[in-house]
Amino acid sequence: MLLEEVLAWLNPKSGGTYVDCTVGGGGHAAAILESSSPDGRLIGLDQDPHALEAAARRLAPYGERVTLVRENFINLPRVLAELGLPAVDGILFDLGVSSPQLDVPERGFSYHQEGPLDMRMDPTMHCTAADLVNNLGEEELAGIIARYGEERWARRIASFIVRKRQHQPITTTSQLVEIIKEAIPAKSRRSGLHPARRTFQALRIAVNRELEVLPEALRQAANLLLPGGRILVITFHSLEDRIVKNLFRHLANPCVCPPGFPRCVCGQKPVLRVLAPGGVVPSEREVNLNPRSRSARLRVAEKLRPVLNAAGGE
C-alpha cells in the first residue's frame, strides 16, 4: 500500500540501514531492499509470528541484508541496541491490521467472515476481543467503542451486548455482527460503511493497545534517526492519524514560550521537519485496484539534529 510513495519519500540508498516496524508480509521491506541494493540493510519487526514467517519466505533472497525480529515496535530502542545500531537512516510504520490478518477467519479480525472473536496481533497475549465483550461493564465497553471506534451508537451497542451475553457468551465474529446490526437503527445501517466496522476497529485497538503505545514509539523512533533520516507512518483512521500529525508537529515546533515572546527562551529545539504537511493519500488508480487503501494516509518527517539527554550527550 502506497508503495511508490513510500519509496519516494524514504529514498533508500545503498549502504543505508532502514527499519520496517510492521514488516507484515514483507512487501514494503522487499521494495526498500531493492531500492537500497547492493548493500542496504533492513531490520523488520512484527509481533505476529505468522507475519514474520511470511516475511522470512519473501525476503529470503536478500540473505544477510535482512534481520527479522518478533517484537512490538515500542521496543525498537532495545532491538537496535542489541544489534549494535545507535541510529538508522529511515523508519517506516504501517499501522493497523494487515490484509493477511483480515483474510484469515481464525484470527477474528474480519466482520465479513465467521471466526473466533480473537483480534490479537500477538497470539501469545492473554486478552482477546471475546474477553472484553464478555467481561467488561457496560459503561467501560461503551467507552471503548465510542473512544476507539468513534461510533455514535456506542452506548446502544454496549447495552445490547450486555443483554445478549446474559443468555450465552459471545464468542464468534458473526454473533457480534448480528448484535451490532440489531443495536443500530435500520436507517443508520443502510447508509455508509458496514455497521460493525467501527466496533470491530475499537475492540482491535483495545486488545492490542495500539494507540497507547504509538506516541512513545514515535518519539523513540525520532530519537533513533540519523540527521537527514526520515520517519514515515501510514495511518488508516482519524484517531491514529491525529496522534501522528500532532506529535510530528510538536517535534517540529517544541517551543513552549508564551505567544508574543520576541524570541524563544525555553531552549526547546526542533527535532523533526514535517514533509508533506497534509499527508499523502493513495492515487485513484491504487484505490481502484485495492479498495482497502482508500482510508490510508502517509505522513513523513525528517530528522534535523540529534536529541540530547540531560547530560548533554546524544
Side-chain angles (χ1 to χ4, degrees), residues 43-57:
I43 316 300
L45 277 63
D46 210 294
Q47 59 184 332
D48 185 340
H50 305 291
L52 282 181
E53 290 172 7
R57 290 192 296 270

Side-chain angles (χ1 to χ4, degrees), residues 33 54-64 66 68:
L33 285 160
R57 290 192 296 270
R58 183 164 189 173
L59 304 177
Y62 300 98
E64 295 182 355
V66 181
L68 297 178

Side-chain angles (χ1 to χ4, degrees), residues 24 43 69 79 97 167-168 171 193 197 215 218 255 284 286 311:
I43 316 300
V69 183
V79 171
V97 64
H167 302 286
Q168 64 173 346
T171 59
L193 300 171
R197 178 176 180 268
L218 293 175
C255 177
E284 184 177 346
E286 179 168 5

Side-chain angles (χ1 to χ4, degrees), residues 113-277:
Q113 303 182 74
E114 168 75 9
L117 198 54
D118 193 319
M119 301 194 195
R120 292 173 297 173
M121 293 181 180
D122 178 352
T124 65
M125 293 172 62
H126 296 299
C127 181
T128 68
D131 292 327
L132 299 184
V133 164
N134 288 290
N135 297 320
L136 290 182
E138 184 175 325
E139 284 295 318
E140 190 174 1
L141 191 56
I144 285 174
I145 297 171
R147 184 166 63 254
Y148 294 151
E150 299 181 299
E151 170 60 73
R152 64 177 294 201
W153 301 106
R155 288 188 173 275
R156 187 172 167 89
I157 291 169
S159 175
F160 273 59
I161 287 173
V162 170
R163 191 183 315 161
K164 291 286 185 178
R165 77 189 189 192
Q166 291 174 352
H167 302 286
Q168 64 173 346
I170 303 165
T171 59
T172 70
T173 54
S174 59
Q175 280 180 285
L176 182 58
V177 167
E178 289 307 311
I179 294 168
I180 295 168
K181 286 181 177 178
E182 288 180 34
I184 297 178
K187 183 178 180 181
S188 295
R189 289 202 311 270
R190 287 193 291 267
S191 61
L193 300 171
H194 193 287
R197 178 176 180 268
R198 293 180 180 276
T199 299
F200 270 61
Q201 171 185 295
L203 291 172
R204 189 203 80 222
I205 289 172
V207 165
N208 296 287
R209 299 178 56 240
E210 295 174 36
L211 300 187
E212 290 180 45
V213 302
L214 182 57
E216 182 59 22
L218 293 175
R219 286 181 184 276
Q220 293 176 161
N223 288 350
L224 292 166
L225 281 174
L226 290 164
R230 291 181 176 180
I231 177 172
L232 282 66
V233 187
I234 300 175
T235 66
F236 288 90
H237 57 78
S238 60
L239 292 173
E240 59 191 15
D241 188 63
R242 195 176 305 129
I243 289 172
V244 179
K245 178 181 68 175
N246 290 340
L247 185 61
F248 279 7
R249 182 182 295 164
H250 170 70
L251 292 178
N253 184 22
C255 177
V256 294
C257 296
F261 261 46
R263 61 185 180 85
C264 175
V265 295
C266 70
Q268 299 295 319
K269 302 297 184 183
V271 176
L272 297 176
R273 177 169 67 99
V274 176
L275 308 178

Side-chain angles (χ1 to χ4, degrees), residues 24-50:
H28 287 116
I32 292 169
L33 285 160
E34 284 292 327
S35 296
S36 63
S37 63
D39 59 355
R41 183 178 180 186
L42 182 121
I43 316 300
L45 277 63
D46 210 294
Q47 59 184 332
D48 185 340
H50 305 291

Side-chain angles (χ1 to χ4, degrees), residues 266-308:
C266 70
Q268 299 295 319
K269 302 297 184 183
V271 176
L272 297 176
R273 177 169 67 99
V274 176
L275 308 178
V280 180
V281 297
S283 65
E284 184 177 346
R285 177 177 176 274
E286 179 168 5
V287 172
N288 290 334
L289 291 172
N290 180 11
R292 286 178 181 168
S293 70
R294 67 181 179 273
S295 58
R297 184 179 296 270
L298 172 66
R299 296 211 175 256
V300 187
E302 184 175 85
K303 182 71 171 285
L304 291 179
R305 64 181 184 89
V307 176
L308 301 182

